[in-house]
Amino acid sequence: MRYSDGELLDDVREVGDELGRAPTLQEYRDRGAHSATTLYDRFGSWQATLAEAGFEPREPTTSVSTEELRADLTRVAEQLGRAPTASEMNDKGEYWVSTYRGAFGTWAAALEAAGLESAASGSRGRPATDDELLAELKRVADEHGAPPSYQTMEDHGQYGARTYVRRFGSWNEAVEAAGFEPAEQDSKLSEETLIAELHRLADELGEQPVSTDVVEYGEHSLATYQRHFGSWSAAVDAAFEED
């Protein structure tokens, strides 16, 4: 049965009415009648779903102590059974990842302050080797289809997709190193695909991405945006000028 947009949004509103505020994604998963995947497929992101349902998206929080941040990070880690990714923390935590970066400098530093190992660590807490990263990429490909996308790796991989970008230079280069043909060559990427990726980054970071965010966390290289749009600022204008 295919539910209408109105039925999906009404259910989100009902959960919000029970809580007296906009629900987090985890709260909706616990209380709602529909899957989060359905909402993501229909509206694009949890924040977009909340906006469509008439809720004000959560704003980044800055007036919070490092103790409170560590406590909430620990809570989410215990819920997951591992250190959360940045996108998971935005969905399940009380504070935006940008708040953690403001307090600790980097997301990795926040994880370290909470006594957690980042997803880039291999066994015994040491950094994962290239072979371990590629073996995990192949495992995800076997289970979820080859080649895996950046988002598939974020959702199902032991290591965050951004780890591959940092280690291999780009997501496509990591895919090639694992022996797969990238799903889309850089020259074939559409502007819509690149803009969607910038919106994904904004949703994950809790703020409009800057060029260094693309380098550190993006699926495509900064040069890709410059080639397609003429400059980085033009890419930002194309993605966010109507926001």
Side-chain angles (χ1 to χ4, degrees), residues 32-193:
H34 307 289
S35 74
T37 300
T38 299
L39 297 174
Y40 268 75
D41 289 344
R42 195 70 62 85
F43 302 107
S45 71
W46 180 242
Q47 293 303 310
T49 302
L50 290 178
E52 289 288 340
F55 292 107
E56 287 291 327
R58 290 179 296 149
E59 294 294 332
T61 306
T62 55
S63 57
V64 59
S65 69
T66 55
E67 290 77 11
E68 290 173 302
L69 292 172
R70 283 198 298 267
D72 197 52
L73 183 46
T74 300
R75 176 187 65 78
V76 174
E78 289 175 348
Q79 184 182 82
L80 295 170
R82 56 173 171 76
T85 64
S87 58
E88 288 171 335
M89 200 63 199
N90 275 344
D91 285 337
K92 304 178 190 299
E94 293 300 319
Y95 313 104
W96 282 102
V97 166
S98 56
T99 304
Y100 286 88
R101 290 196 179 99
F104 297 98
T106 65
W107 175 239
L111 292 175
E112 184 178 351
L116 300 169
E117 294 177 1
S118 80
S121 295
S123 60
R124 300 180 183 177
R126 59 172 172 73
T129 66
D130 286 1
D131 286 344
E132 288 171 330
L133 290 173
L134 294 175
E136 175 63 5
L137 193 153
K138 291 174 184 177
R139 181 193 69 79
V140 172
D142 287 341
E143 293 185 3
H144 300 279
S149 69
Y150 183 101
Q151 191 58 51
T152 299
M153 201 67 195
E154 281 287 282
D155 293 339
H156 302 287
Q158 178 183 354
Y159 311 114
R162 67 179 64 90
T163 301
Y164 291 84
V165 174
R166 286 196 294 268
R167 190 70 65 85
F168 295 96
S170 72
W171 177 248
N172 280 346
E173 287 177 278
V175 168
E176 288 178 336
F180 300 110
E181 185 72 21
E184 287 185 289
Q185 295 298 324
D186 177 78
S187 62
K188 298 180 181 179
L189 288 171
S190 68
E191 290 189 1
E192 290 77 11
T193 297

Side-chain angles (χ1 to χ4, degrees), residues 101 150 161-162 165-166 169-171 194-195 197-202 204-205 207-226 229 231-233 235-236 239-240:
R101 290 196 179 99
Y150 183 101
R162 67 179 64 90
V165 174
R166 286 196 294 268
S170 72
W171 177 248
L194 294 172
I195 287 172
E197 167 65 3
L198 291 181
H199 279 276
R200 182 196 67 80
L201 278 174
E204 176 177 322
L205 297 169
E207 58 191 1
Q208 184 173 302
V210 296
S211 59
T212 52
D213 292 325
V214 169
V215 173
E216 187 171 2
Y217 307 114
E219 181 171 356
H220 311 296
S221 70
L222 181 60
T224 297
Y225 291 93
Q226 293 168 330
F229 294 93
S231 68
W232 166 245
S233 60
V236 170
F240 301 105

